Amino acid sequence: MERIRLLTRKDPFLSILSPLHYQSSNLPKTLSMAASQFNSKRPTCPSCSKPSSLCLCNRIRNPGLENKVNVTILQHSLEKKHPLNSVRIAKLGLKNVKVATVSDVNFGARFVIRLPKSTSGLNGRNRFDFDGVSDRNGFSSGKENVDEQCLKHSKEENSNRSNELEIAINSSVTELPSTLMDEKTDVNEEPVIFFTIGKNGVVTDLDSKWELQPRTHAQKGPNFDQILASQVAIEALSRGFVVKKLQKQQKNGSINLEEYEEFEVGVPSGSILLFPSETAVSVDELQRMNIEVRSLIVLDGTWAKAKRIYKENPWLKLLPHLKLDLSKLSLYNEIRHQPHAGCLSTIESIVYALKALGDNHEELDHLLNVFESMVEDQRHCKDERLKKSSPL
């Protein structure tokens, strides 16, 4: 024991180890493990969040490419620090990219959807732009403003209830992170849709300014498909909307729940969701439908996590869904599981989607090269770990 005290005086780090460890026959092994933990924090690049020795920044030849189609990424919270998280390449390589972190719903969540403020004019109605700026798009004059139609179809009691719910929401928010809305964005204070969900995305409450279709006998509770059945609602929402998610979580491990704002995302007109659902269409079909794509929403996570994000964010059903007709194998290869051909990484999906939508910047393919080099780094690190752990 006296020898141990002398050692710890020379090296204070050793004092964190219990003397019982030293009395065991595994003294060298214990010291080795402790030293390994002590040195585990490697210098990290603040831009790409990779270890400095594996920094991606200098690999991108032309950072901040001017992508014509804006990209909004809903990133699962468990993906943010994953070593193969390819969103970091999208953020470095593309200019018009915004990321919102999305967590699983374990204790319930509330969503508030608002419309942008707009006024009718002689030349038509305002539309909501990605940066919160209205622009005119030559709708035929003489037609009623969509907001006025909404008011005609709304019930007074629903409007009052929405205001009361919004007051309750704002008073209960305990944390307000940065949003994906531009400072110039101007939205109506009164929500047009308010709904709550429980675990697995089950809608438990639904309120709307619009007259909703009654539930069918097969529907046991409120269903977001009631919104989709309202042509007035779909027409108004197609001009753009803002969605805010308020998530519940346990506070400091206690049984008490607190509510915080997880994200607020602006969804401009011309937005589509990149997700291979049953209703998803190809790029050619989008063109035949005369849909001008201005914004692309992408889900970031494993295939299981992406499906969970989709299920727990029913508002995504308001958007046209795009599928990529690709049979490519991901550059992940053997490093990360790919359920089947066509299940690509986030950066691969973004690049192929932008190119299919006409954003054919020659530097887009270079971002795939950067991603491939990141995968090679991970493969090399994996091989090194296997060599160190294998017996001589």
Side-chain angles (χ1 to χ4, degrees):
M1 290 295 293
E2 183 61 26
R3 183 184 177 188
I4 294 171
R5 294 191 186 97
L6 291 173
L7 283 171
T8 55
R9 287 173 194 156
K10 293 180 180 179
D11 189 352
F13 168 70
L14 297 179
S15 63
I16 66 173
L17 300 175
S18 168
L20 293 176
H21 290 160
Y22 289 91
Q23 294 173 3
S24 70
S25 60
N26 295 323
L27 176 59
K29 182 178 179 180
T30 304
L31 291 174
S32 176
M33 291 174 59
S36 176
Q37 293 173 2
F38 181 76
N39 296 321
S40 62
K41 291 186 177 181
R42 296 176 292 178
T44 302
C45 172
S47 297
C48 67
S49 302
K50 296 286 286 183
S52 298
S53 59
L54 303 176
C55 178
L56 301 173
C57 301
N58 293 332
R59 306 183 198 186
I60 298 179
R61 293 187 306 214
N62 190 9
L65 294 177
E66 189 81 35
N67 48 307
K68 299 176 183 178
V69 177
N70 299 294
V71 177
T72 298
I73 302 172
L74 301 184
Q75 182 180 50
H76 194 279
S77 57
L78 297 180
E79 288 293 306
K80 190 171 184 179
K81 294 184 179 180
H82 196 284
L84 286 175
N85 167 29
S86 64
V87 169
R88 50 171 64 93
I89 298 177
K91 291 169 64 177
L92 290 168
L94 301 174
K95 179 179 180 180
N96 300 314
V97 173
K98 297 185 179 182
V99 181
T101 302
V102 183
S103 303
D104 292 340
V105 175
N106 295 313
F107 304 100
R110 302 198 274 179
F111 291 84
V112 179
I113 295 180
R114 298 185 181 89
L115 294 178
K117 288 183 178 179
S118 61
T119 56
S120 59
L122 295 176
N123 296 326
R125 291 168 283 165
N126 289 339
R127 298 181 70 186
F128 180 53
D129 186 62
F130 186 82
D131 292 324
V133 180
S134 296
D135 65 304
R136 299 196 176 267
N137 283 270
F139 288 97
S140 58
S141 59
K143 189 176 181 179
E144 284 186 322
N145 185 277
V146 171
D147 292 339
E148 295 173 353
Q149 293 180 14
C150 298
L151 290 173
K152 287 183 179 180
H153 286 81
S154 63
K155 293 182 178 180
E156 184 176 355
E157 56 268 26
N158 283 350
S159 176
N160 292 335
R161 184 184 177 206
S162 296
N163 286 329
E164 293 172 359
L165 291 170
E166 181 61 7
I167 292 172
I169 290 172
N170 289 333
S171 64
S172 64
V173 172
T174 58
E175 180 182 354
L176 296 176
S178 59
T179 69
L180 299 190
M181 297 300 302
D182 189 272
E183 292 180 357
K184 296 177 291 183
T185 300
D186 195 11
V187 296
N188 290 316
E189 290 299 321
E190 183 179 356
V192 294
I193 299 175
F194 172 89
F195 65 98
T196 62
I197 65 171
K199 196 172 178 63
N200 298 321
V202 177
V203 178
T204 56
D205 188 23
L206 176 64
D207 194 12
S208 168
K209 285 180 64 68
W210 300 290
E211 187 79 29
L212 299 180
Q213 296 292 330
R215 299 196 300 268
T216 64
H217 294 294
Q219 295 173 348
K220 297 180 180 180
N223 193 299
F224 205 77
D225 290 343
Q226 294 174 266
I227 300 291
L228 303 179
S230 171
Q231 292 299 320
V232 177
I234 293 301
E235 181 182 356
L237 293 165
S238 68
R239 297 169 53 235
F241 59 89
V242 178
V243 57
K244 178 193 291 185
K245 179 185 177 184
L246 302 166
Q247 173 84 288
K248 291 182 179 180
Q249 66 178 6
Q250 285 184 319
K251 186 175 182 180
N252 299 326
S254 70
I255 60 174
N256 298 323
L257 299 179
E258 65 175 1
E259 191 174 56
Y260 68 100
E261 179 181 319
E262 186 169 270
F263 64 74
E264 183 172 26
V265 177
V267 183
S269 59
S271 293
I272 62 171
L273 172 68
L274 182 60
F275 189 77
S277 67
E278 294 180 357
T279 61
V281 299
S282 65
V283 173
D284 292 339
E285 290 174 296
L286 281 178
Q287 294 174 347
R288 286 195 289 268
M289 296 163 64
N290 294 320
I291 296 178
E292 181 184 356
V293 180
R294 302 174 61 208
S295 178
L296 181 70
I297 296 180
V298 183
L299 310 184
D300 177 59
T302 62
W303 180 235
K305 291 173 186 172
K307 289 194 293 185
R308 194 175 304 128
I309 293 175
Y310 182 74
K311 191 172 184 179
E312 294 182 347
N313 288 269
W315 59 272
L316 292 171
K317 294 182 179 180
L318 298 171
L319 307 174
H321 291 21
L322 172 66
K323 61 181 178 182
L324 296 177
D325 295 327
L326 298 172
S327 59
K328 295 179 179 291
L329 289 174
S330 173
L331 293 173
Y332 275 136
N333 291 332
E334 301 173 359
I335 296 296
R336 205 170 186 187
H337 179 63
Q338 182 182 13
H340 52 79
C343 291
L344 307 174
S345 68
T346 299
I347 187 61
E348 290 172 301
S349 300
I350 291 173
V351 167
Y352 291 131
L354 290 180
K355 292 176 69 174
L357 293 169
D359 221 338
N360 291 317
H361 199 291
E362 60 183 11
E363 288 295 319
L364 281 175
D365 285 331
H366 173 64
L367 297 182
L368 298 183
N369 296 335
V370 175
F371 175 62
E372 187 172 16
S373 70
M374 185 179 74
V375 173
E376 286 297 324
D377 288 343
Q378 190 65 19
R379 181 182 288 108
H380 178 73
C381 292
K382 182 179 179 181
D383 292 341
E384 288 296 316
R385 287 195 298 270
L386 289 175
K387 288 180 181 178
K388 291 180 180 179
S389 61
S390 61
L392 296 177

